[in-house]
Amino acid sequence: MATITEKIGYALGDAAAGGITWKIMSIAFPLFFTNIFGLSFADAATLMLIARLFDVVTDPIMGSLADRMQSRWGTYRPFLIFGALPFGLVFALLLQTPDFDATGKRIYAYTMYLLMMAIYTLVNVPYGSLLGVMTDDDNEKNQFSSFRMVGAYAMGFITLMIFPYLQKLVGGSSQHQYSMLGIIFGVVAAVLTLACGLMTKERLKPKRAEKYSGKQFVDLVKNVPWLYLTGTSICTNFFNGFRYAAAGYMFTYCLNGDITIGKLIINYTVFMTFGELTCMVFGGLSPWFTKMIGSKKKTFMFAAVICLLFSVLFFFIPMKASWIWVMIAVVVLTSMGIGIYSPLLWSMYSDVADYATEKNGTSSTGLIFSSGTMAQKLGTAISGALVALFLGLAGASMTTDKMGNSIVDPSSITPSVLKMIWSLFSIIPAVICVIMLLLLYKYPIKK
């Protein structure tokens, strides 16, 4: 029986990965790379797409290798314990803006982003796989998943809420602000990752395949529940990816910058914290919803319908700062659905891993959970790249400022560009929800 301390320890892992590094990479990086670092829309789109497609290969390989790790710290925990420091360090380096020419900046951005994705894979794939060896009790797996999501969303809420205030506190240029925030958040992410590795326990021994072979990859693509769940997972990350990547542009151009109400500064990060807080609450309530509705699959579909309806509703809100509280209300309502389905995804991956072990005779827990991380990166990568691509197709373009830095040309922000930004936050995510529902309908495991 796992203790509350261990569940909190497990939550710290996604507080670091999902609540800090991934949250900042999802919401701030599209805007950071174009408006602050100085890449063109095409360079930013290509960078995010290539780096994440790289993970489509590395994540499954990492999962398979992690399944074969044997040490006195366990199978998956060593990657958290010894990967914590490089995880935080590379993240800090990624938010630096070196004084290079355009070619040098491009090389730096590509190098550090690819390295960050590799380190993220090294840490996060084993972290997800831990769920499969900490307990064999299905109810307890749901609790661990719920703690994980609460940790991720609670830290995401803190990260996004304090981001603009830390920028103001640090002062100086935007490049300096992001540089210092990279160091601060990198240190916190490293500490939380190490704490997770030290506070968790591996109670179950994986049934290891004696030799490394391609058979497990063949078995994986024959695993029908895995195919539908991975498709669903990619959709959930498309849904979040479009919204987070578009939020910065939405505030900068559609709402004409930060909105100040009394002492409250509402920028794109603070705007999304209202959703993070809601996800944290409903992530904690997800096991209760599952019990009430009767199965993980039905509960997931119920949550997806919530996301679909309120995403469509957001599109019809006037594009005016005076409507900010209505926008926040709809984001909160949408986030109820996200909060409910997020813990279910990882618990369902554990069900798929159990199904695979029973069918094939050997454990492929790491490999199967790696596909969840792969889907996260693939969905975010393609959505982030498409946001930059769609904005370019809608007419947005780059120019050069007096200092020679690449910036968005204000004259290119036409009504069609504004409508595209608004759609990227609402209608396109709604379409993703429809696809998600079709995949869930075909998912065969009915736990």
Side-chain angles (χ1 to χ4, degrees):
M1 186 76 175
T3 64
I4 188 70
T5 302
E6 187 177 358
K7 291 171 184 175
I8 292 172
Y10 188 63
L12 295 180
D14 216 18
I20 296 178
T21 58
W22 199 259
K23 198 64 66 181
I24 292 174
M25 289 169 72
S26 297
I27 192 169
F29 273 26
L31 192 68
F32 168 73
F33 279 127
T34 56
N35 289 28
I36 296 167
F37 192 88
L39 295 182
S40 68
F41 279 114
D43 277 334
T46 305
L47 165 61
M48 288 184 283
L49 185 58
I50 289 177
R52 305 284 174 80
L53 291 178
F54 170 72
D55 290 316
V56 175
V57 177
T58 59
D59 279 22
I61 292 174
M62 182 63 222
S64 183
L65 292 174
D67 283 334
R68 286 158 178 74
M69 168 63 74
Q70 297 186 57
S71 75
R72 65 191 182 98
W73 295 282
T75 300
Y76 304 113
R77 290 172 59 240
F79 296 97
L80 296 166
I81 295 169
F82 297 104
L85 180 59
F87 183 57
L89 177 62
V90 174
F91 180 75
L93 291 173
L94 186 56
L95 280 168
Q96 308 305 305
T97 303
D99 188 18
F100 298 157
D101 61 16
T103 302
K105 279 189 173 183
R106 195 178 295 117
I107 292 171
Y108 183 87
Y110 273 72
T111 301
M112 296 312 303
Y113 205 72
L114 284 169
L115 186 57
M116 183 64 209
M117 289 298 95
I119 296 294
Y120 192 94
T121 295
L122 179 72
V123 170
N124 208 245
V125 168
Y127 168 72
S129 304
L130 260 178
L131 182 61
V133 295
M134 288 191 294
T135 180
D136 58 358
D137 181 83
D138 197 53
N139 184 53
E140 204 162 48
K141 286 179 183 178
N142 286 343
Q143 291 175 25
F144 269 113
S145 293
S146 183
F147 267 82
R148 171 181 181 167
M149 289 299 103
V150 170
Y153 285 124
M155 184 53 69
F157 170 78
I158 293 169
T159 300
L160 298 182
M161 178 60 79
I162 67 174
F163 202 92
Y165 297 96
L166 286 177
Q167 283 183 285
K168 190 174 181 180
L169 181 65
V170 169
S173 66
S174 296
Q175 288 90 344
H176 176 68
Q177 292 169 11
Y178 274 83
S179 172
M180 294 306 298
L181 291 182
I183 294 170
I184 293 168
F185 284 117
V187 169
V188 176
V191 171
L192 294 180
T193 301
L194 178 61
C196 175
L198 295 175
M199 292 171 68
T200 49
K201 296 179 182 179
E202 297 186 25
R203 293 177 175 81
L204 308 177
K205 296 288 185 182
K207 297 178 181 178
R208 307 177 195 276
E210 293 300 321
K211 296 180 180 179
Y212 185 89
S213 73
K215 181 179 181 298
Q216 59 187 325
F217 294 99
V218 174
D219 290 339
L220 187 66
V221 296
K222 291 180 178 179
N223 187 326
V224 174
W226 174 82
L227 290 172
Y228 284 114
L229 187 61
T230 298
T232 301
S233 180
I234 291 172
C235 284
T236 64
N237 288 288
F238 264 126
F239 181 81
N240 286 329
F242 277 115
R243 294 169 74 249
Y244 278 99
Y249 294 111
M250 189 170 73
F251 264 77
T252 302
Y253 302 114
C254 298
L255 302 177
N256 299 313
D258 298 353
I259 300 169
T260 303
I261 302 174
K263 293 185 177 180
L264 178 63
I265 302 171
I266 304 179
N267 73 344
Y268 68 100
T269 62
V270 174
F271 178 71
M272 298 303 285
T273 62
F274 291 95
E276 294 295 306
L277 183 60
T278 307
C279 287
M280 179 185 71
V281 173
F282 280 84
L285 293 173
S286 183
W288 179 82
F289 276 99
T290 305
K291 274 189 177 181
M292 182 181 70
I293 294 173
S295 77
K296 298 174 189 178
K297 173 179 173 176
K298 290 179 181 178
T299 306
F300 207 133
M301 294 182 75
F302 166 73
V305 170
I306 292 175
C307 293
L308 168 62
L309 294 176
F310 288 109
S311 293
V312 172
L313 179 60
F314 191 95
F315 180 77
F316 294 99
I317 300 173
M319 205 181 296
K320 297 177 181 177
S322 58
W323 285 75
I324 187 64
W325 290 114
V326 177
M327 298 176 204
I328 289 172
V330 175
V331 164
V332 166
L333 292 168
T334 306
S335 298
M336 290 167 50
I338 301 171
I340 293 169
Y341 74 56
S342 293
L344 293 174
L345 188 65
W346 297 105
S347 182
M348 289 162 76
Y349 266 118
S350 184
D351 296 337
V352 171
D354 292 342
Y355 169 87
T357 300
E358 184 178 331
K359 183 179 179 182
N360 302 319
T362 57
S363 174
S364 54
T365 301
L367 180 60
I368 286 171
F369 272 91
S370 75
S371 61
T373 308
M374 176 195 72
Q376 179 185 42
K377 294 175 182 176
L378 182 63
T380 307
I382 296 176
S383 58
L386 286 176
V387 165
L389 179 63
F390 286 161
L391 291 180
L393 292 174
S397 61
M398 306 296 290
T399 187
T400 305
D401 66 10
K402 294 178 181 179
M403 302 299 293
N405 297 314
S406 295
I407 60 170
V408 177
D409 184 355
S411 66
S412 70
I413 306 301
T414 61
S416 63
V417 172
L418 297 178
K419 194 166 186 179
M420 175 62 77
I421 294 171
W422 210 252
S423 298
L424 286 165
F425 194 86
S426 55
I427 293 298
I428 293 178
V431 173
I432 298 300
C433 283
V434 173
I435 299 170
M436 193 191 309
L437 285 164
L438 292 173
L439 290 168
L440 285 165
Y441 179 76
K442 299 291 289 183
Y443 176 73
I445 297 178
K446 299 180 180 180
K447 281 188 178 183

